[in-house]
Amino acid sequence: MAKVYFGVWKDKVIDNRGKATEEWTESPIKIDDKFNGKPLKAFVNWDGFLVFDKEADILKTLADYMFEISSYGCCGRCFPGRTGTRIIAEELMKLREDKSNAAPLDLIKDLCVSINKSAKCTVAPTAVIPVIKFIEHFSDEIGLNVSKQYRYVRHLTAPCTAGCPANVKIPEFIEAIKDYRFDEALAIIRETMPLPGVCGRVCPHPCEKNCRRGLVDDPVNIMVLKRTPWDYEYYHHKKPQIPIYRDKTDKKVCIVGAGPAGLTAAYYLAQLGHTVKIYDMLPEPGGMVAVGIPDYRQPRELLRREVEIIQSLGVEIQYNTKLGRDIFLDDLKKEYDAVLIAIGAFKSREMGVEGEDAGYEGVMTSGIDFLQDFSLKKPIKIGNRVVVVGGGNTAIDCVRTAIRLGCTDVNLVYRRSRAEMPAEDYEVADAEEEGVKFHFLINPVKIIAKDGKVVGMECVRMQLGEPDESGRRKPEPVPGSNFIIECDTIIPAIGQYPDLSFLKESDGIKVTKWNTISVKEDLYMTDVPGIFSAGDCEWGPNTVVKAIGAGRWAAIMMDRYLMEGDVYLTDEEKLQLTLYKNKVFDKTEKVCETPTIHRVHQEKLDAQYRIKNFEEIEKPYTEKQAYLEATRCLRCMRMAMVTIGE
């Protein structure tokens, strides 16, 4: 971790001048003293500035920062933003080169304060903060260390964008929607996410948890806005305009898994001219999205349309082909120039209760198998009184599917409280509205059977103790609180993990202690050159949007391996990932905005109607609804810049 020489960060002054290096303060942000392998000199963003090297030219760094804000960060729609920041940059350079030729410090500060209060966007007002703090606390550094020349790297982001694993340029596409430029909005989204129709429906939208509008009233409905331009293209029968960035290469790429990670990687690799073939064990594309998410959340025909667009780029998909059974890693390594393993996490965890393995009729293998069998139209034997064990989205999908299959008594058992449930709040609320009974702070201990058939499940009440490794309070049994829930069907849905049985020791691919494929951090390549991994098989079951983000990064690394023989992060990419890991959103910030338009909710089918079928519950925005919701965006652009040596 880097140590700070001096600086100001979130109004806290750090001054270690005159102290030995070992006495310097540890950086308030997570950043190494070697930034992407290069000496770290200084860091500037909306929270302040940090100097990590005695020889760093902080005045030039601030001047360069303001130049970049003016030319790259500001939209140009107001004078204070575009012109005011340029004047500050020029005055800082005059201070650095010749104090007598520059405006007095108090005038420069006054100009910064004026921009902070009057610029219409947020990038300019926040950009002047480090300059103000420098003038207030470290103006005695002016004129020092002006001989050294260093290179800087900048990255423009937003709290929502930095909170999105796929790095979607959210303020930009929302701005396009606000102007009814739906084609342009969709093109912006597809730069980093090729499945907006899917992610606009089933994404857990971490971006909305990082939306500054949420500090005023409710976050912008980013997820629904994301599907809006895709719905516009689909329902208007418009032909997708997908750019191709390179002529056809002679490189052949194999991807194992047609889930979100594999499809995403295929999309971007095809755009770069590579020949891509996907193998998947299922009879249709989409992975867990296709067979683990019911049609009432993600209509299958819309998912297939997304895949057709990817296939239109020349991507071939071979179905019903499983790694380790029909194809083998040794053969793939010989036939292809690079291989991406993106097989997902389809293997289910056991409940670990008495009677689970006794073979009783009515105990299903897992929630994933239940949803998969139903989606593939395999015969399912399910009773009227159902208990699902688990608290994630899979468990919620199981109970809501059971309701739609006509089960009259559907229960969900979860060992923690509702507040700790990983499932989305609105999914839980919808399930309750549909008639699902929730039993919180309850854990199964034994399956009760009669004549080989399930008749009930013995449970124990739980209480929350101290936090565990996940940060959630650990549930502990309440002695003597056992009771029985009568049922004829039990569906475990407590988690999944990837099936890595296809790996042999001779493959040389390391497996983590969590039974996932080990890859080089942020580079997605295993210890075997040319073999990459991304998605749930790399880190365990997670979200669709995280798999999409991983698939894009994997494609970037695979392309570099194919065309340059090496994998690496550019300095700008390193800065982008640094911001993602440090988080841009400050939930304690006071936002001085007055609420005007309330969050626009999409139309939703009535519960009594929707439980009778698998029709999509949530309907698209109208164009007017999309416009109104888009106007709620505060356009919270932010810029960070790092100064590095060579």
Side-chain angles (χ1 to χ4, degrees), residues 293-526:
I293 300 179
D295 281 11
Y296 65 81
R297 289 180 61 203
Q298 174 59 63
R300 201 79 55 83
E301 69 272 14
L302 303 187
L303 170 61
R304 289 171 182 150
R305 177 55 185 155
E306 297 252 54
V307 179
E308 287 172 3
I309 294 170
I310 295 172
Q311 289 178 295
S312 72
L313 301 178
V315 174
E316 180 186 353
I317 305 178
Q318 180 173 314
Y319 300 111
N320 300 305
T321 306
K322 186 175 181 179
L323 184 61
R325 182 190 69 192
D326 308 301
I327 53 174
F328 301 91
L329 200 53
D330 286 339
D331 297 329
L332 297 178
K333 287 191 287 185
K334 294 174 184 175
E335 185 177 352
Y336 295 93
D337 297 296
V339 176
L340 174 65
I341 302 172
I343 59 172
F346 279 82
K347 208 168 177 64
S348 299
R349 301 191 184 280
E350 295 182 346
M351 293 184 292
V353 303
E354 184 180 342
E356 184 175 10
D357 300 324
Y360 297 137
E361 182 180 332
V363 180
M364 294 194 177
T365 53
S366 71
I368 286 299
D369 290 340
F370 165 62
L371 294 171
Q372 180 172 321
D373 288 348
F374 174 75
S375 67
L376 297 178
K377 295 180 169 55
K378 293 182 179 181
I380 295 175
K381 191 173 182 180
I382 188 170
N384 282 323
R385 298 178 299 169
V386 179
V387 173
V388 175
V389 181
N393 285 331
T394 297
I396 299 295
D397 286 337
C398 287
V399 291
R400 298 182 74 185
T401 296
I403 285 281
R404 284 160 175 76
L405 291 176
C407 302
T408 56
D409 183 17
V410 180
N411 303 267
L412 185 141
V413 170
Y414 181 55
R415 62 181 185 151
R416 288 185 166 96
S417 72
R418 177 167 178 168
E420 282 82 27
M421 282 190 79
E424 296 300 311
D425 287 341
Y426 70 92
E427 293 280 348
V428 178
D430 284 351
E432 285 180 319
E433 192 177 323
E434 292 168 4
V436 175
K437 301 172 187 174
F438 285 83
H439 305 267
F440 297 111
L441 290 169
I442 301 294
N443 205 38
V445 293
K446 182 180 179 180
I447 295 173
I448 310 297
K450 184 178 181 180
D451 299 328
K453 297 181 180 180
V454 171
V455 296
M457 186 171 70
E458 182 179 344
C459 301
V460 63
R461 301 192 186 280
M462 309 293 284
Q463 59 187 2
L464 296 179
E466 296 299 317
D468 60 14
E469 293 179 357
S470 70
R472 294 181 296 174
R473 293 171 64 191
K474 186 177 181 179
E476 299 169 347
V478 176
S481 64
N482 293 40
F483 67 101
I484 293 175
I485 299 177
E486 294 182 355
C487 62
D488 51 30
T489 305
I490 296 174
I491 306 176
I494 59 172
Q496 305 99 246
Y497 60 97
D499 181 3
L500 303 183
S501 59
F502 64 89
L503 287 177
K504 307 187 302 292
E505 189 175 342
S506 59
D507 290 327
I509 295 176
K510 293 180 181 178
V511 176
T512 70
K513 64 180 180 180
W514 300 282
N515 196 56
T516 57
I517 295 175
S518 176
V519 299
K520 298 175 182 177
E521 185 179 8
D522 298 327
L523 301 178
Y524 294 90
M525 190 163 76
T526 67

Side-chain angles (χ1 to χ4, degrees), residues 400-407 430-431 433-436 605-615 617:
R400 298 182 74 185
T401 296
I403 285 281
R404 284 160 175 76
L405 291 176
C407 302
D430 284 351
E433 192 177 323
E434 292 168 4
V436 175
L605 296 179
D606 180 76
Q608 295 309 307
Y609 172 81
R610 67 185 189 234
I611 62 174
K612 299 175 183 177
N613 55 66
F614 282 83
E615 183 180 339
I617 291 174

Side-chain angles (χ1 to χ4, degrees), residues 126-407:
T126 57
V128 297
I129 290 173
V131 178
I132 293 172
K133 298 304 179 184
F134 173 77
I135 293 173
E136 287 178 345
H137 300 284
F138 295 102
S139 59
D140 56 336
E141 288 289 321
I142 294 173
L144 303 178
N145 302 322
V146 296
S147 59
K148 297 280 185 178
Q149 293 292 321
Y150 301 112
R151 190 166 63 86
Y152 64 83
V153 181
R154 50 105 166 114
H155 180 70
L156 189 67
T157 186
C160 52
T161 296
C164 172
N167 311 119
V168 175
K169 297 176 181 177
I170 294 168
E172 288 94 325
F173 90 72
I174 290 179
E175 189 85 5
I177 289 175
K178 190 167 66 174
D179 295 337
Y180 294 95
R181 294 178 281 117
F182 296 109
D183 292 341
E184 184 178 334
L186 187 54
I188 293 169
I189 296 170
R190 281 178 170 150
E191 288 178 19
T192 59
M193 175 182 285
L195 302 170
V198 169
C199 240
R201 286 171 166 83
V202 301
C203 182
H205 42 268
C207 53
E208 293 184 26
K209 294 181 177 65
N210 290 269
C211 176
R212 290 177 71 251
R213 178 75 192 212
L215 300 176
V216 178
D217 47 13
D218 293 316
V220 175
N221 204 335
I222 299 171
M223 184 181 77
V224 180
L225 285 174
K226 193 187 306 166
R227 71 176 268 190
T228 296
W230 190 89
D231 286 344
Y232 180 85
E233 177 185 86
Y234 179 79
Y235 290 113
H236 284 79
H237 308 289
K238 297 172 72 69
K239 183 179 179 181
Q241 300 298 314
I242 310 297
I244 300 298
Y245 298 114
R246 185 191 290 146
D247 292 337
K248 208 71 178 169
T249 70
D250 60 351
K251 304 298 183 182
K252 293 172 57 182
V253 177
C254 162
I255 296 174
V256 184
L263 290 170
T264 297
Y267 176 89
Y268 293 112
L269 287 165
Q271 282 187 311
L272 293 169
H274 304 305
T275 300
V276 184
K277 183 170 184 178
I278 304 177
Y279 296 95
D280 196 89
M281 67 178 183
L282 297 172
E284 62 177 289
M288 198 66 75
V289 177
V291 300
I293 300 179
D295 281 11
Y296 65 81
R297 289 180 61 203
Q298 174 59 63
R300 201 79 55 83
E301 69 272 14
L302 303 187
L303 170 61
R304 289 171 182 150
R305 177 55 185 155
E306 297 252 54
V307 179
E308 287 172 3
I309 294 170
I310 295 172
Q311 289 178 295
S312 72
L313 301 178
V315 174
E316 180 186 353
I317 305 178
Q318 180 173 314
Y319 300 111
N320 300 305
T321 306
K322 186 175 181 179
L323 184 61
R325 182 190 69 192
D326 308 301
I327 53 174
F328 301 91
L329 200 53
D330 286 339
D331 297 329
L332 297 178
K333 287 191 287 185
K334 294 174 184 175
E335 185 177 352
Y336 295 93
D337 297 296
V339 176
L340 174 65
I341 302 172
I343 59 172
F346 279 82
K347 208 168 177 64
S348 299
R349 301 191 184 280
E350 295 182 346
M351 293 184 292
V353 303
E354 184 180 342
E356 184 175 10
D357 300 324
Y360 297 137
E361 182 180 332
V363 180
M364 294 194 177
T365 53
S366 71
I368 286 299
D369 290 340
F370 165 62
L371 294 171
Q372 180 172 321
D373 288 348
F374 174 75
S375 67
L376 297 178
K377 295 180 169 55
K378 293 182 179 181
I380 295 175
K381 191 173 182 180
I382 188 170
N384 282 323
R385 298 178 299 169
V386 179
V387 173
V388 175
V389 181
N393 285 331
T394 297
I396 299 295
D397 286 337
C398 287
V399 291
R400 298 182 74 185
T401 296
I403 285 281
R404 284 160 175 76
L405 291 176
C407 302

